Amino acid sequence: AQTVTQSQPEMSVQEAETVTLSCTYDTSESDYYLFWYKQPPSRQMILVIRQEAYKQQNATENRFSVNFQKAAKSFSLKISDSQLGDAAMYFCAYRTSQGGSEKLVFGKGTKLTVNP
Amino acid sequence: DGGITQSPKYLFRKEGQNVTLSCEQNLNHDAMYWYRQDPGQGLRLIYYSQIVNDFQKGDIAEGYSVSREKKESFPLTVTSAQKNPTAFYLCASSIRGGAETQYFGPGTRLLVL
């Protein structure tokens, strides 16, 4: 079974600085999808970024980018120019590409604090 | 305004009572999902449905039931058999079952009196 590990329960960053959140996963599959979701105090899960395992190029969405290392099974999220609104729980998630298994497997999350 | 709505925002359950959480989407998505979130944990899948009148158990389906009579709606019933129902419940949907991105509703907080 696939597992997702986020080794940093909490992180903090100064406003306008850069922070990297770590995520590792365990799978025997070669094709899959990885996601980072943000959960602000409102508790709604918001998609931040998505990466297809077959793509070598790292995904980027404005100030958010990932460092996808397939061989190392690592999927870190970099937030540049951190803003106060980035403060939230961040969850890394894995999804198989095989049909019939629809779930997202989530890590336990990293709480990000942004200091003014 | 397209999206996923969940109601109520807070729900209180008495011992031995069944309660139903509502999830509605107007995104024309085929697939819908229910997740449970406990403090300090990620989300765990309860049930999912890829098409109307069909649904599948997730990892923690015991004590829960669902129905999918309409494409837009996927209600979750927490039965009295669920001994530890206090949690945050999130509904999600995606265009179709597969690798498509899942989008989430605002959630329902269930508390036991």
Side-chain angles (χ1 to χ4, degrees):
Chain A
Q2 295 86 9
T3 58
V4 176
T5 302
Q6 293 179 250
S7 60
Q8 306 152 318
E10 297 187 24
M11 293 281 285
S12 63
V13 64
Q14 291 297 124
E15 195 176 5
E17 297 294 310
T18 296
V19 64
T20 298
L21 308 184
S22 300
C23 173
T24 58
Y25 57 94
D26 186 25
T27 183
S28 59
E29 299 176 340
S30 59
D31 197 16
Y32 46 86
Y33 300 82
L34 296 165
F35 304 84
W36 278 99
Y37 281 90
K38 169 185 177 181
Q39 188 178 40
S42 67
R43 303 198 71 176
Q44 180 160 5
M45 297 288 280
I46 301 166
L47 177 69
V48 174
I49 203 164
R50 161 186 164 135
Q51 174 80 43
E52 291 86 353
Y54 64 85
K55 291 185 177 179
Q56 292 187 342
Q57 186 173 6
N58 290 326
T60 299
E61 286 288 342
N62 300 315
R63 297 182 296 107
F64 299 87
S65 61
V66 298
N67 183 5
F68 174 48
Q69 302 289 327
K70 191 172 184 179
K73 298 180 183 175
S74 172
F75 183 60
S76 60
L77 175 69
K78 185 172 81 172
I79 306 174
S80 304
D81 186 26
S82 297
Q83 300 176 359
L84 294 177
D86 294 334
M89 286 290 292
Y90 285 82
F91 291 93
C92 179
Y94 170 102
R95 184 166 183 179
T96 181
S97 66
Q98 296 178 10
S101 181
E102 305 301 332
K103 69 179 180 183
L104 285 168
V105 178
F106 284 86
K108 293 188 176 181
T110 295
K111 182 179 181 182
L112 179 65
T113 300
V114 181
N115 300 310
Chain B
D1 212 12
I4 304 170
T5 57
Q6 291 185 241
S7 62
K9 188 173 182 178
Y10 295 96
L11 186 57
F12 299 92
R13 194 190 92 163
K14 296 179 181 178
E15 293 290 338
Q17 186 181 39
N18 292 352
V19 293
T20 297
L21 286 62
S22 170
C23 177
E24 304 275 336
Q25 54 95 3
N26 61 3
L27 301 169
N28 200 31
H29 285 175
D30 289 309
M32 297 186 74
Y33 313 82
W34 274 106
Y35 289 89
R36 169 179 170 144
Q37 185 179 28
D38 293 285
Q41 302 292 321
L43 281 64
R44 292 180 293 167
L45 183 67
I46 304 172
Y47 269 99
Y48 66 96
S49 168
Q50 296 189 58
I51 56 172
V52 174
N53 292 323
D54 185 56
F55 47 83
Q56 306 295 327
K57 292 182 179 180
D59 294 327
I60 54 167
E62 185 174 354
Y64 300 96
S65 66
V66 294
S67 62
R68 186 87 186 275
E69 298 176 0
K70 298 187 300 181
K71 186 176 183 178
E72 302 79 17
S73 178
F74 190 42
L76 173 73
T77 296
V78 184
T79 73
S80 57
Q82 172 50 245
K83 298 306 179 187
N84 184 24
T86 297
F88 188 62
Y89 292 86
L90 286 153
C91 177
S93 69
S94 64
I95 294 174
R96 56 186 179 276
E100 285 74 17
T101 299
Q102 294 181 19
Y103 297 93
F104 287 81
T108 292
R109 176 79 170 143
L110 176 60
L111 298 167
V112 177
L113 295 177

